[in-house]
Amino acid sequence: MTRTYPPSSPRPIVITPGYLARHPASVLYASGETQVLCAATMTREVPAFLDGKGRGWATAEYSLLPASTQPRARRERSGKISGRTQEIQRLIGRSIRGVLDLEALDGWTIHVDCDVLQADGGTRTASINGAFVAVELAVHDAIERDLLERSPVEQAVGAMSAGMVAGEALLDLNYEEDSSADVDLNLVLAGESSIIEIQGTAEGRPLSRGQLDELVELASSGIHQVFKRQKEAVAAAKGVG
């Protein structure tokens, strides 16, 4: 798909909170043609290693629906997931936990489910962005029902890809751009500038320090646009003008 927007711009972002009628803490996050359904559910339990520690937890599951890609993605069964899926699930979980005060979640676990409905590159970053909105909505609902005394969310978390394609730095790569990129980088930020994770790989020629700095700055600028959209989506869902 030919890029019809500037190299430094992300694909159009559309966030639809409350996408599932029976699950208010659900979000359809779209970045261009990539669409991910994210839902956050709170359960009164914690992993065994947190028993009696006065803390909560957050964990994530990620999946590609078979028809989300061409050719068809093989459906993964419980206990038989690919290394890629495990890595993305852990990334989403780390990203969410990175902005939570787990003591405020004492005894609770937030389960985040991210299901890719349509994949056109950037599914892991879209999952993180949508997951954060879903978590915000789940926490808001828990406070409204007196299940939590205060919000554990300390700051926003967002993610964005950037890459070098034919010698040009591009933000938020689609599948066509990603598959031909000389360098592919994913950045996860907490708040204005705190880095949770950088994933960067040179597929062809080695990456220079200058290019790395350029890509990090580019991805950071895109994430700040994500923060604005997340804030708007959460406010709309809460009925805040």
Side-chain angles (χ1 to χ4, degrees):
M1 181 181 297
T2 302
R3 178 174 283 245
T4 58
Y5 43 93
S8 59
S9 294
R11 290 174 288 175
I13 299 169
V14 179
I15 306 176
T16 308
Y19 187 76
L20 299 176
R22 297 183 180 180
H23 200 309
S26 61
V27 174
L28 181 66
Y29 186 95
S31 177
E33 296 299 317
T34 290
Q35 298 182 8
V36 184
L37 176 59
C38 302
T41 305
M42 294 184 57
T43 59
R44 194 72 165 120
E45 60 182 355
V46 293
F49 69 88
L50 286 176
D51 280 343
K53 299 291 180 61
R55 293 161 63 87
W57 192 244
T59 186
E61 293 187 16
Y62 165 96
S63 68
L64 282 169
L65 296 188
S68 66
T69 65
Q70 288 295 334
R72 176 185 183 273
R74 184 186 295 269
R75 192 183 297 276
E76 295 182 332
R77 304 297 181 181
S78 179
K80 296 182 179 180
I81 61 176
S82 68
R84 175 183 181 274
T85 294
Q86 291 184 56
E87 186 265 323
I88 293 175
Q89 290 182 166
R90 290 169 180 165
L91 172 63
I92 299 168
R94 285 195 303 273
S95 299
I96 295 299
R97 290 192 299 273
V99 296
L100 296 181
D101 174 3
L102 295 179
E103 291 185 359
L105 274 175
D106 183 12
W108 290 93
T109 292
I110 301 176
H111 300 269
V112 181
D113 295 294
C114 299
D115 293 291
V116 179
L117 307 184
Q118 186 164 276
D120 185 35
T123 62
R124 73 185 64 197
T125 54
S127 294
I128 292 168
N129 297 336
F132 175 73
V133 177
V135 167
E136 279 267 62
L137 299 182
V139 165
H140 174 72
D141 179 66
I143 292 173
E144 290 283 295
R145 294 192 290 134
D146 294 323
L147 301 178
L148 292 178
E149 293 183 1
R150 59 188 174 89
S151 174
V153 179
E154 296 183 317
Q155 55 191 330
V157 64
M160 186 69 71
S161 70
M164 300 298 298
V165 181
E168 184 176 23
L170 300 182
L171 179 64
D172 193 16
L173 308 184
N174 60 35
Y175 176 78
E176 181 180 324
E177 293 165 343
D178 182 67
S179 62
S180 62
D182 296 316
V183 176
D184 181 25
L185 179 142
N186 294 303
L187 177 68
V188 184
L189 288 185
E192 290 297 311
S193 58
S194 298
I195 296 173
I196 290 179
E197 190 141 349
I198 299 176
Q199 300 176 336
T201 303
E203 301 289 351
R205 296 179 62 83
L207 177 68
S208 71
R209 177 57 186 270
Q211 289 174 322
L212 173 62
D213 292 343
E214 180 182 9
L215 292 179
V216 169
E217 285 299 316
L218 187 59
S220 179
S221 70
I223 291 171
H224 283 84
Q225 295 182 56
V226 170
F227 286 158
K228 180 175 183 293
R229 297 299 182 88
Q230 288 172 327
K231 185 176 182 179
E232 292 170 349
V234 170
K238 292 180 179 179
V240 179

